[in-house]
Amino acid sequence: GTWRLLLPPRPAGLGYAIEARCSGCPNSTATAIGDVGFGEVWLCSGQSNMELRLSTTDNGAAVVAAATHPTLRLCMVPIVASSNTPLERIDADWSECTPGTVGDMSGVAYYFARKLQTELDVPVGIINSSKGGTEIELWYPDSGEYFNGMIAAQVPFAMRGVIWYQGENNTGYRTEQYRDSMLQLINGWRDHWGQERFYFFWCQLANKNLSCP
């Protein structure tokens, strides 16, 4: 079945544990989850610029080798396109940020998370749900195949917000419509999460294949 756990606010930090059991079930056993952290969680999505692995960025090998950050947690959502029905589950796990786990994480997401940690001094979790070569329409709620396959199952997981890096596949032939497309995406995701505050930051692409006067 599907169940949801609603927790009151907790001080930011690591070392928490959660134990759940069925109160109305005889002979039920408890399910325990250890090493739980409270802090910032951000969903990182878009196309190839967001998908670009940390290990392939400038000085990536050295950054990966030094990336031992126990208070940074990583989640890599597998690339799945489900064009008809939003998936209810995603086959993905959280891992601690180490040189052995961070290489395939989005470089943009990693540097964003490290900046948050420097500024806020709290645990940070980043979820990478990105796919290169995708138009924004493929991420629309309910109708977009990558929303259905890689985003829908994360609702209503509590998050601070989204960082978005996409646009190359919408340049040229639909550029003038991109503002409206962004509003449809942002408002649709916010409606699905239904949080009082759900921040949405994006990287604005420079002009591409356009001549300047």
Side-chain angles (χ1 to χ4, degrees):
T2 301
W3 56 277
R4 182 188 306 180
L5 180 63
L6 301 177
L7 299 173
R10 292 284 192 276
L14 298 177
Y16 290 92
I18 296 175
E19 182 178 285
R21 69 170 67 242
C22 177
S23 60
C25 305
N27 303 320
S28 66
T29 59
T31 297
I33 304 173
D35 194 25
V36 176
F38 284 82
E40 299 267 318
V41 177
W42 288 82
L43 174 57
C44 312
S45 190
Q47 61 175 113
S48 56
N49 286 341
M50 182 64 77
E51 187 181 29
L52 184 70
R53 297 186 301 273
L54 177 64
S55 61
T56 64
T57 60
D58 289 347
N59 201 33
V63 173
V64 168
T68 300
H69 307 295
T71 59
L72 175 55
R73 303 300 169 90
L74 316 172
C75 181
M76 296 284 294
V77 174
I79 296 173
V80 176
S82 175
S83 59
N84 296 319
T85 304
L87 299 182
E88 295 183 355
R89 301 183 187 279
I90 290 176
D91 185 16
D93 296 313
W94 286 99
S95 62
E96 183 179 311
C97 181
T98 69
T101 62
V102 76
D104 289 337
M105 172 53 67
S106 159
V108 172
Y110 172 81
Y111 286 114
F112 175 78
R114 292 294 295 143
K115 178 66 172 177
L116 286 179
Q117 290 191 306
T118 299
E119 297 290 334
L120 303 177
D121 192 27
V122 298
V124 175
I126 48 176
I127 303 172
N128 183 13
S129 293
S130 56
K131 172 65 173 71
T134 52
E135 292 82 10
I136 191 172
E137 291 83 1
L138 298 177
W139 299 95
Y140 283 173
D142 303 321
S143 61
E145 61 184 60
Y146 286 101
F147 178 89
N148 289 341
M150 300 175 65
I151 303 296
Q154 300 181 53
V155 180
F157 187 73
M159 301 183 192
R160 185 69 70 189
V162 176
I163 60 172
W164 175 261
Y165 201 162
Q166 186 273 339
E168 295 92 331
N169 274 51
N170 287 87
T171 58
Y173 59 98
R174 288 199 297 270
T175 304
E176 72 283 353
Q177 301 174 8
Y178 196 72
R179 176 186 177 277
D180 295 336
S181 298
M182 281 296 300
L183 288 174
Q184 183 171 341
L185 180 85
I186 294 169
N187 291 333
W189 286 26
R190 283 176 171 170
D191 287 345
H192 272 70
W193 258 271
Q195 296 179 193
E196 182 178 353
R197 292 184 179 179
F198 192 70
Y199 297 101
F200 211 108
F201 301 122
W202 68 90
C203 181
Q204 181 68 57
L205 294 178
N207 290 341
K208 180 180 179 183
N209 299 330
L210 298 176
S211 59
C212 297

